[in-house]
Every structure is written in structure tokens, then in C-alpha cells.
Amino acid sequence: MKKSTCLTLALLVFFSAETGFAQKKTTFPEAPPTLEEIVVTATRYEEKVSTVPANVSVISREIISNSTARDVPGLLRMHSGVHVTDVTGNGRSFRVDLRGFGETAQSNTLVLVDGRRVNQADLSGTDWTLIPLDRVERIEIIRGARGSVLYGDNAAGGVINIITRQGERFRAGADAGVGSFDTYRGNGYVNGSRSDFSYDLSARYYKSDGYRDNSRTRAEDLGANFSYLMGELAKLSLSGGYHKDETGLPGALRQSELEAFIPRRATLHPEDFADTDDYYVKLKPEVFLTDDSSFQIDLSYRKRESVAFSSFSGGSFTGNTRIGTLIASPQFLIQRPVLGFQNNLTFGFDYVKAEEDIVNDLLFLGEPSTGIFTLEKENYGFYVHDEFHPSDRVGLSGGYRRDQVKYRFTPSDPAGTDFDEDLLTLGVNFNFCRDSYVYASYSRGFRYPVLDEIFNFQSNTIDAGLLPQTSDDYELGIRHNFAPDFHLGISFFRVDTDKEIFFNPAGGPFGFGANENLDGKTRKEGVEIALGKKFARTDVRASYTYIDAEIRSGQFSGKAVPSVPKHKVALDAAYSPMDPLKIAGNLTYVGKRFLESDFANDFSKLDEYVVFNLKLSYTFRKFTLYTDLNNIFDKEYSEFGVLSLGFPAEPAFFPSPERNLFVGLRYDY
């Protein structure tokens, strides 16, 4: 089919979908097959991206190797609909926000590693340092609440699935480098396969003093993946990982302190820190029932221990937390024709139990006190999802989930509470030309309060008034491939959320702050645009995101949701003037947004910023020499700003790093 014909069809199909105008049946000539991306996150089994009625991105290993990113959040920030914030400015604590949830993004964006849930049941959210970039094979991003039916809690904004490397042919390598702020990094890997057995082993060490005083970080990681294929009958996979880090916490600098000429790199909290030990193990047996049907069960256990110390006017706080999470997820996949048409049926059950032991030591005005707590959260969820294809070009999908949660707290009166939710998703895809398609979908999303939100540490009781939040998610989009190496995607979305959970700095029985449900509904609506084009020696990608996140009723009616920029632009390019040499650069623009916790929109917005990064690499035989130069134009900016507590309240900032350099040498056997 000619490119002009495909483009005309794309415009006709898209605008007829928007207006509801019915088109006459069109006969499509056969097109040559193209290599299409495969995604597993959207339905928990492998399928083509073009069959998913959602805005989907796949970050391949090629994109990762050409990127200037030094970590997973650095990769994600280049994509539409994804806003990444380096909260502390030292590359240790990131917030990844899908579709404008702002300060609660970490509880509304579900993160998976090889399908295993990473989100914790407390307010710590996702620890992105657990996932070194060296272990990543590809990343799948599913925007919107569609994942709520298949995965349950935390997927109101979307799902990010990080898929680690698996052993194929034998490979081994090592990487070491040094950089600004006394940064050192070293890592090594070995992977391969022998007969029906495959393996991948990796190790990493990272140390940096950080941009600011007391922003040091030292991290150690070990990871392993094993799989054994038992003929055509079954497959057994085993994976695990260990992470340890010690990190300083420089804290925010108030506006008045910066105006008093306290340096951006300074800290007023030289003793604050957070140390973490974290490990997990996952076992996945899979039985092949027929050529296209299977049964599998994911079994995993994770244990995380952390110690954090923070100081404040009048005292200090030390928290010692241990949380263990057990997950069991059996699933059936049945791929058999129905009435002669292709049909894919998935159903399964998710069980997640998290138990958190907390010891809090508070020193306030010279008076010490200790609180010892045990918090439990237990989830049960049954889901069923079906994809039906009445023709090669049309796909219909729908799913339902029944989800329940039980909370138990000690000490507390009452000792627990329960919630349940019913979720639904519906979608339709129309493949109008090659791998180009339009889609429309509706999904019911939700999230439960996390343990630290529903338990009131001031009164040692359950906040019985805090309820789950729910959302209605609508989406309409198109992805058109002008050619195999040239694509454009546009998605329009609207998310209406009821009882959205937020932190009210003036709430609680003593006015020191509490987690509450907004008394009005919120709406996030906007457009996501992504463009990609490959030339002979150049790969260019661009994205634009517009989000209008507004509280529509209640106490803050008409106010913007804090921490959500209306505009975000990302440009990414990789150029290879000759085979051994690669040049990669990216530019990120983030627009103005209100300070975190400023729900009344009383203070000035956080400044917009533009940051440009560059990477050069040269390969000679099995060695690659590379250099990363971030924030080339030495921009002074802050990715994160918050309305500080106190009297009077005022803006406070976590200054982001200025120009910085990293140089490394990699060997691949």
C-alpha cells in the first residue's frame, strides 16, 4: 500500500472515530509483513503492540545502549505521558508520574520487574536503585488504568514493566568509570545457555559524594536469572537480586535560606541518612497445556530493611523498618478459536501479603519516645480478561477484576479494616494499514491507601475515614507507521478520579498533617504525542505531553493539582558518523508547576527548565570508551520543590545538579 494511501486512511479513520461518523467498508490490499514490537505487560502474555487499546511504549536494548541515561528513570523521562522527578537531586530518590497524579504518583504507577510487583505497601514507593540499567533488556510502558484489571492496586496511572536480560549465547563483560562529585562505578556480567539451561549473572558497585553536601551514595547490587526448558512440556524460571545502599539526605533549602546566600550545594542536615538492605527471590513454573495454552504461577518473596535518621528544629527522628512481601499469582492462558475466530482468554488470581515491623524513636524538646508497630496488608484479586478478533484487523477486549484487601494493625483500636473494589476494562482496536491502528478504551482504576496512610502514628489508630480512590479512564488514540522506520502516535485521555488520596499538611488531630481523601473530584486530561524516525545513520525521537490536572469540586475547586507540569517536551537523537563512533544527545523541557502540597495554589510556581545531555562512545574491537556530559549548559534549576511546613509556610527546594561528567570503559566478550 502506498504511503499516501495509508496516511489518508489514518486521518479518515481517526477523525471518524472522534465524530462517530460511519465509514463504508474498505478493502485493504495485502501489505508486506513488518517486524513489530511485542509487549507482555498489557495482557500478561506476549502480543503485538498493535492489538493493545492503550498508549504503549517499548524501550528496546538498542535504545538503551544509544541513550544518555545512567539509570532507568533517565530512560523513562524521554517518553510522552511520563514525568520524572529526581526528588533529592542526587540520583537516589526518583518519582515517576504517569498521567498527572503529582505527589502521589509513586502509589498510582505500578512498577514490575519481569512481571513481579516492585511497589511497596508503605509510602516508600518504588526504589529505582534496585534496578541497575546494566540488567535491563527492555522496558514496557502501558499508560492509563487498563492495568488495574490485570494487576490490581497501584495501576491507576499506568504500568511500567522492566524486563531483565536472559541468557542466550555466551557473553561476558565489565564496565568501570569515574565522574564528577567523586563518582565511581563498576559492574560485570556473564550470561549464556547450554542445551535447555540458560543463565544471567550480574554485579554492580556504585559510589558518589553527590552534588550537594551530605548527598553521598554507596550501592551494591547482585542479580541472577536462571531458566530450564523441559522439552515441550514445561519451563522453570528462577531469579533473585540483592541490593544494599547507604545514602545521605541533604534535605530542602527554604527560599529565605537561599536568599540569605546559603549555597545551592549546602545542607542544613549534615547527619541525616537512609540505609537499605533489600533482596528478593522469584520462582516461576510454567506448564504448556497445548501449543498456544499454558498455566503458570509466579511465586516471590521480598524482604526490605531500612534505617533512616532525620533532624528538625527541636529534635530528631529515627525510623527502623522491616517489610516482607509474599506474592503468589497463578494464571491460565487459553488461546483457542471461538466461532472460528481468534480468541485469547486469560484468568488468574493474585495474592499479596505485606507485613511491616516499625520501630520509631522520636526526640522532641529533649523528651525521647519510642513507638513499636506491626502493620499488615493482605490482598486477594481474581481477574478474567478476553481478547476476541472477529477479523484480522479488528480486536475487541474486555476484562473484570474483583479485588479485596484486609488491613491489620498493632497497636490499634479498631485493629483492622477491609475494602473491596470491582474493576472493568473495555477496548477496541482497528488495524487500518500495516501495523498502524486506532483504538478506544475505557478502564476503571483504583488504589488502596498504603499502610503508612491509613495508620495514624500520632494516635496509634486506624484512620477509619480514609477510603480507596477510584477513577474512570477514557482514551482515544492512533499510531501510524508511515514506513517501518517512521511512526507517529497521538493519544487523547481523560482520567476522572473520586476520593483521591492526598497529604493535607494542616490535617490530623493535632494539625501536624494527615492523609485524607479530597472532598472533590479531580480530572486529568490531555494529549500525548510521540514521533520516531530512523535515517541511515541517525535515530531521532521526539515527544510532547500536555496535561491539565485540575480539582473540579470541593474545598480546592478550580485549583491545579500540585507537582504536575502542563507542558513537557523531550527530544532524543543518536548519530553514528562511522561504525565505531556514536553520538547521542537529548533535550528535556519541563514547564511550570505548583509546589508540592500547595493545593490552594497560593504560592508562585516552580520554574520551568531545559536540560541538555550528551554522550559520546567509540568502540575498538571488544572495548568501548564512552563519556556522558549532563546539563551541558550548566543550568541552575530544581526538579523538585515543596511547600515547607512551619510558621510561616514558604517554598523549599532540592537543587538539581549543575554540569557533570562521567567517563567509562566497557569490555564485552
Side-chain angles (χ1 to χ4, degrees):
M1 182 176 293
K2 295 181 179 180
K3 293 181 182 179
S4 59
T5 306
C6 281
L7 179 58
T8 302
L9 286 170
L11 295 174
L12 286 173
V13 170
F14 186 61
F15 287 109
S16 66
E18 280 200 297
T19 60
F21 182 72
Q23 298 291 324
K24 293 182 179 180
K25 183 177 179 181
T26 305
T27 301
F28 297 89
E30 291 298 324
T34 59
L35 182 62
E36 190 181 355
E37 295 171 316
I38 299 296
V39 64
V40 299
T41 311
T43 51
R44 297 176 79 152
Y45 62 84
E46 288 190 354
E47 66 172 336
K48 293 180 180 180
V49 169
S50 61
T51 65
V52 182
N55 187 359
V56 179
S57 297
V58 179
I59 306 175
S60 66
R61 186 64 212 173
E62 179 185 5
I63 294 174
I64 294 173
S65 62
N66 289 336
S67 170
T68 63
R70 300 179 187 177
D71 43 49
V72 172
L75 282 170
L76 298 173
R77 71 168 72 237
M78 300 308 299
H79 290 264
S80 64
V82 186
H83 176 47
V84 176
T85 303
D86 183 354
V87 176
T88 58
N90 64 352
R92 173 62 181 83
S93 300
F94 290 96
R95 175 188 295 159
V96 177
D97 187 1
L98 295 184
R99 296 205 162 157
F101 281 88
E103 62 185 60
T104 61
Q106 60 188 10
S107 298
N108 286 286
T109 300
L110 178 62
V111 180
L112 310 170
V113 174
D114 296 327
R116 177 185 62 86
R117 175 182 289 267
V118 174
N119 297 64
Q120 291 281 67
D122 62 0
L123 280 172
S124 62
T126 299
D127 189 345
W128 294 96
T129 60
L130 293 171
I131 315 158
L133 202 55
D134 318 298
R135 288 193 68 192
V136 178
E137 179 63 27
R138 74 177 191 273
I139 301 173
E140 301 171 355
I141 307 171
I142 310 294
R143 299 163 183 82
R146 183 175 176 81
S148 293
V149 164
L150 288 161
Y151 297 99
D153 200 5
N154 303 122
V159 181
I160 298 171
N161 191 8
I162 301 166
I163 298 168
T164 59
R165 289 185 169 187
Q166 305 294 320
E168 295 178 358
R169 61 181 178 83
F170 177 78
R171 297 182 304 175
D175 189 340
V178 297
S180 303
F181 320 132
D182 289 329
T183 299
Y184 303 91
R185 187 185 71 194
N187 62 274
Y189 73 90
V190 57
N191 58 41
S193 61
R194 186 177 181 86
S195 185
D196 294 326
F197 176 74
S198 67
Y199 57 91
D200 180 272
L201 305 171
S202 64
R204 176 179 180 265
Y205 176 79
Y206 178 83
K207 177 183 177 297
S208 178
D209 285 347
Y211 167 63
R212 295 179 58 197
D213 296 340
N214 193 35
S215 63
R216 67 191 182 282
T217 296
R218 188 179 73 179
E220 302 167 5
D221 292 275
L222 295 171
N225 290 339
F226 303 100
S227 67
Y228 179 66
L229 186 63
M230 291 172 274
E232 298 180 355
L233 299 177
K235 181 180 179 181
L236 184 64
S237 302
L238 177 66
S239 60
Y242 172 76
H243 171 82
K244 176 182 176 65
D245 72 67
E246 300 171 355
T247 303
L249 303 177
L253 294 175
R254 292 172 177 256
Q255 182 171 300
S256 58
E257 294 164 346
L258 291 170
E259 291 173 349
F261 302 106
I262 291 180
R264 287 169 46 86
R265 300 184 65 168
T267 179
L268 301 180
H269 304 274
E271 305 299 327
D272 291 11
F273 68 88
D275 297 344
T276 301
D277 276 274
D278 199 324
Y279 71 84
Y280 79 90
V281 60
K282 176 186 173 183
L283 179 66
K284 179 182 177 180
E286 184 175 5
V287 179
F288 308 123
L289 304 176
T290 65
D291 290 342
D292 298 315
S293 300
S294 63
F295 168 77
Q296 66 182 37
I297 180 169
D298 286 353
L299 301 167
S300 67
Y301 179 75
R302 178 183 176 191
K303 187 174 182 180
R304 181 175 185 268
E305 297 184 44
S306 62
V307 178
F309 173 83
S310 60
S311 55
F312 56 90
S313 178
S316 64
F317 174 83
T318 303
N320 194 324
T321 302
R322 177 183 301 173
I323 183 168
T325 305
L326 175 67
I327 302 176
S329 298
Q331 173 190 303
F332 283 92
L333 168 62
I334 300 175
Q335 295 179 304
R336 289 186 177 181
V338 173
L339 302 176
F341 298 104
Q342 179 185 347
N343 191 78
N344 305 322
L345 175 65
T346 308
F347 60 93
F349 181 81
D350 292 322
Y351 173 76
V352 183
K353 182 177 181 179
E355 182 173 323
E356 183 177 20
D357 295 317
I358 300 175
V359 179
N360 289 337
D361 292 315
L362 176 66
L363 180 64
F364 184 61
L365 299 178
E367 294 294 329
S369 62
T370 299
I372 301 175
F373 313 100
T374 298
L375 318 180
E376 293 184 12
K377 181 185 178 190
E378 194 170 20
N379 275 87
Y380 308 84
F382 168 78
Y383 64 90
V384 57
H385 186 272
D386 190 74
E387 284 192 343
F388 179 65
H389 297 268
S391 76
D392 291 339
R393 297 188 179 275
V394 177
L396 306 175
S397 62
Y400 168 79
R401 183 184 187 94
R402 174 68 174 177
D403 203 276
Q404 295 178 295
V405 65
K406 296 180 179 180
Y407 295 91
R408 298 294 179 265
F409 301 94
T410 304
S412 177
D413 184 18
T417 189
D418 304 341
F419 299 116
D420 58 74
E421 293 291 338
D422 293 286
L423 289 308
L424 177 69
T425 185
L426 298 170
V428 58
N429 274 57
F430 176 52
N431 176 219
F432 59 86
C433 180
R434 297 194 190 94
D435 297 324
S436 300
Y437 58 96
V438 292
Y439 68 86
S441 68
Y442 163 79
S443 298
R444 178 76 166 172
F446 81 110
R447 87 164 176 96
Y448 295 126
V450 298
L451 291 170
D452 299 354
E453 288 175 326
I454 200 169
F455 185 72
N456 191 311
F457 288 89
Q458 299 174 25
S459 58
N460 296 339
T461 60
I462 291 174
D463 184 352
L466 192 64
L467 302 173
Q469 71 177 45
T470 57
S471 61
D472 293 301
D473 191 304
Y474 307 88
E475 185 170 347
L476 175 67
I478 182 172
R479 178 182 170 112
H480 180 52
N481 291 317
F482 297 91
D485 55 4
F486 183 22
H487 73 268
L488 170 68
I490 305 176
S491 298
F492 295 91
F493 66 89
R494 190 177 81 188
V495 183
D496 291 326
T497 306
D498 189 24
K499 299 182 178 66
E500 186 161 347
I501 302 170
F502 80 113
F503 178 75
N504 184 355
F510 306 108
F512 294 133
N515 296 287
E516 300 176 1
N517 296 104
L518 280 170
D519 59 351
K521 293 186 177 182
T522 61
R523 172 171 290 179
K524 294 100 174 174
E525 57 186 355
V527 60
E528 299 158 341
I529 303 174
L531 177 70
K533 170 65 176 173
K534 284 188 176 182
F535 300 92
R537 290 188 171 273
T538 306
D539 186 2
V540 179
R541 292 179 300 276
S543 70
Y544 169 71
T545 306
Y546 170 81
I547 298 181
D548 183 13
E550 182 183 325
I551 302 170
R552 308 277 292 185
S553 57
Q555 176 185 0
F556 301 112
S557 179
K559 304 299 183 180
V561 177
S563 301
V564 180
K566 277 196 173 183
H567 304 279
K568 173 181 168 281
V569 177
L571 301 174
D572 199 11
Y575 171 58
S576 179
M578 60 184 74
D579 289 340
L581 178 64
K582 291 183 179 180
I583 305 171
N586 71 54
L587 177 148
T588 304
Y589 164 80
V590 175
K592 294 183 177 182
R593 57 268 181 226
F594 283 100
L595 298 167
E596 179 156 318
S597 296
D598 185 14
F599 282 88
N601 297 173
D602 287 336
F603 292 81
S604 298
K605 292 182 179 181
L606 195 62
D607 289 341
E608 61 189 358
Y609 62 86
V610 178
V611 175
F612 183 70
N613 304 320
L614 184 69
K615 178 178 181 177
L616 303 175
S617 65
Y618 185 84
T619 301
F620 176 72
R621 295 182 180 177
K622 297 179 180 180
F623 292 90
T624 299
L625 178 66
Y626 63 90
T627 179
D628 298 338
L629 183 58
N630 286 352
N631 194 2
I632 288 179
F633 299 112
D634 208 21
K635 171 74 174 178
E636 288 190 0
Y637 70 106
S638 297
E639 287 192 20
F640 182 71
V642 62
L643 184 60
S644 66
L645 301 177
F647 303 97
E650 65 173 311
F653 308 94
F654 287 80
S656 298
E658 298 166 15
R659 184 188 298 119
N660 58 95
L661 175 71
F662 188 86
V663 179
L665 180 66
R666 185 174 71 247
Y667 173 79
D668 295 289
Y669 178 76

